[in-house]
Amino acid sequence: MSEQRPDVVALLDLAESASDERLRRRSLDRLAGAIADAPARKVDTLRGTSVVVERFLDRLCHAGIPAAPRNLDPGAVALGRGLVRLGANSLHRIADDLGVVEAALLIRSLDRPASAEIVRSLESGRDRLETLAKLTPVATPDRVAGSLRRFSMLSRRGFLGAALTSALGRSLVATLLTLAEPDVAASIAIRLPMAAVDESTIDKAWLPVAAAVAAQCKS
């Protein structure tokens, strides 16, 4: 049976806190051996960071300590990598249009008075409603309930008119990017301030919709 690999973090703690110099020296020696013997980490494009960051970590971290695992979605990863190449103006336009698409889902699904109220809230996005409505996903009860919850929560935060539609789109982008690489999502958030709304579940059906909106904005 092969010897179990040492716990590098525990060795670091022991080397830092040991009052006995011999114990501290043994800890450092074992730590040096762990660093020398550790295999290089494999680059995993869906691990939680982008390939560039993974390669950078592999050059710096030779102790075989992997990045914290994170459940990523290939569609979200692709969306994030596409959005991260865009400037702030393009990102804001995509968020605005995505908010109009989600508003269109609600307009089609709610009763007439509620739909009329949402149409009135669109303001400058109203002229794009007919075109963007073609991108709405199937209006399942859970999907409509999720969109209505985001719309209501953002309304209560004080978003009105075009700002509400934009916040709705930014909220959806923020939710979808929780399934993307954290460094990519953070880079996008610098140029597109998010209006995040906590979601217990993430509706992945919005991923291809967001990708289609982004493609339409870039064309």
Side-chain angles (χ1 to χ4, degrees):
M1 176 182 286
S2 60
E3 183 181 355
Q4 185 176 1
R5 288 180 57 195
D7 185 333
V8 175
V9 175
L11 287 173
L12 284 170
D13 288 342
L14 185 58
E16 178 69 23
S17 61
S19 57
D20 188 312
E21 181 60 28
R22 288 177 300 177
L23 180 59
R24 179 175 178 276
R25 175 52 54 189
R26 282 201 299 271
S27 301
L28 291 173
D29 288 343
R30 291 196 67 199
L31 182 60
I35 293 173
D37 297 338
R41 291 185 297 112
K42 294 181 179 179
V43 173
D44 182 353
T45 58
L46 293 183
R47 187 172 201 92
T49 52
S50 63
V51 176
V52 173
V53 173
E54 281 288 345
R55 288 173 179 164
F56 179 73
L57 290 175
D58 278 331
R59 289 200 302 271
L60 294 180
C61 303
H62 302 294
I65 306 173
R70 175 178 174 141
N71 293 326
L72 303 183
D73 181 272
V77 170
L79 176 65
R81 292 181 184 181
L83 295 181
V84 80
R85 300 186 184 99
L86 303 178
N89 289 340
S90 295
L91 289 173
H92 279 278
R93 182 185 169 193
I94 289 169
D96 290 348
D97 283 358
L98 193 56
V100 173
V101 173
E102 192 162 16
L105 175 72
L106 292 174
I107 291 168
R108 288 178 170 178
S109 307
L110 302 178
D111 59 29
R112 194 171 186 85
S115 296
E117 185 63 31
I118 293 173
V119 169
R120 282 192 290 271
S121 76
L122 290 178
E123 289 187 356
S124 60
R126 205 176 303 168
D127 59 335
R128 308 195 305 279
L129 182 59
E130 185 174 350
T131 300
L132 293 170
K134 300 172 184 177
L135 300 177
T136 56
V138 176
T140 64
D142 287 344
R143 186 162 301 135
V144 173
S147 293
L148 186 59
R149 181 175 64 254
R150 275 195 297 274
F151 190 92
S152 300
M153 290 180 69
L154 292 169
S155 297
R156 290 198 296 271
R157 289 186 190 178
F159 289 102
L160 300 170
L164 174 57
T165 310
S166 177
L168 191 65
R170 286 184 284 127
S171 170
L172 190 51
V173 171
T175 299
L176 296 175
L177 289 183
T178 61
L179 300 175
E181 297 152 317
D183 56 317
V184 171
S187 178
I188 294 169
I190 293 172
R191 285 164 288 153
L192 182 69
M194 300 297 184
V197 174
D198 291 337
E199 297 283 358
S200 56
T201 59
I202 299 174
D203 187 352
K204 295 181 181 180
W206 282 106
L207 283 169
V209 176
V213 170
Q216 186 166 293
C217 286
K218 289 185 288 186
S219 62

